[in-house]
Amino acid sequence: LRSLRSPEFCSIPVTWRRAQIEDIPAIRGLWRRAGYGFPFPDLLSEKIISSWIAEEEGQIVCWMGAHLVPEITTIMDPSYGSPHRRGMVFSGLEKRVASQVFEKYPRAFCTLDPRYPKFARRMLKSGLGWFRWWETLWITKEAFGENPHKPNL
């Protein structure tokens, strides 16, 4: 395991290293103290593709990881039928896509375009199973590659 301590990663004196199995209780403690609204991730899952911690003076202060989690994407003709009809079409497809996703994954996300706030409200009220609405940020490989502040690992 390689520990990294460098101003190019962070301007405060923390040590960065890959998470280990024995770190899980401390990471779970961070999660509990923060009171996050999402379930504690299965850190031993093969769906975790990156898992790092930051330590200061031997204490874990942050965990960050990446999961393979499907994102449900919808592209619909905005002039098709009424909003109710579009919702019915969405509902029918959502059930089919979700059942296929849940054969392999415990959850999925749907990022909603802020230009369609009524659709988002309808989804949340629809009873289809969407239960939280958090803002989602995303980045592309190309944008990350062009970022002058990214660390050299």
Side-chain angles (χ1 to χ4, degrees):
L1 297 174
R2 183 174 75 152
S3 290
L4 305 169
R5 191 181 275 262
S6 168
E8 73 182 282
F9 287 94
C10 186
S11 61
I12 58 173
V14 296
T15 301
W16 306 78
R17 66 173 173 81
R18 293 191 189 273
Q20 301 172 32
I21 291 174
E22 51 272 9
D23 296 325
I24 293 175
I27 296 166
R28 184 180 296 276
L30 293 176
W31 174 80
R32 279 191 188 121
R33 287 193 302 280
Y36 289 114
F38 56 84
F40 186 74
D42 177 2
L43 301 182
L44 300 177
S45 169
E46 69 278 358
K47 308 234 182 338
I48 299 283
I49 58 172
S50 182
S51 185
W52 286 78
I53 63 165
E55 289 182 319
E56 187 170 350
E57 298 179 4
Q59 180 178 344
I60 296 175
V61 297
C62 184
W63 172 84
M64 184 179 294
H67 312 224
L68 287 174
V69 179
E71 177 183 4
I72 296 174
T73 303
T74 304
I75 300 172
M76 185 176 288
D77 180 352
S79 65
Y80 171 75
S82 66
H84 177 75
R85 188 168 184 86
R86 289 191 298 272
M88 295 300 289
V89 168
F90 176 86
S91 174
L93 286 176
E94 186 262 353
K95 290 172 185 168
R96 286 162 176 79
V97 170
S99 65
Q100 191 172 11
V101 165
F102 295 144
E103 290 174 8
K104 295 183 181 179
Y105 298 90
R107 62 183 172 182
F109 294 93
C110 178
T111 304
L112 302 170
D113 191 322
R115 291 178 290 176
Y116 299 99
K118 288 182 181 178
F119 185 71
R121 286 193 298 272
R122 284 188 187 106
M123 281 182 65
L124 291 170
K125 293 178 182 177
S126 70
L128 296 176
W130 299 104
F131 63 96
R132 291 195 175 112
W133 185 4
W134 289 3
E135 186 171 358
T136 301
L137 304 175
W138 56 280
I139 187 168
T140 64
K141 183 177 180 179
E142 292 79 17
F144 183 74
E146 295 168 3
N147 183 344
H149 301 292
K150 76 173 185 178
N152 296 318
L153 295 178

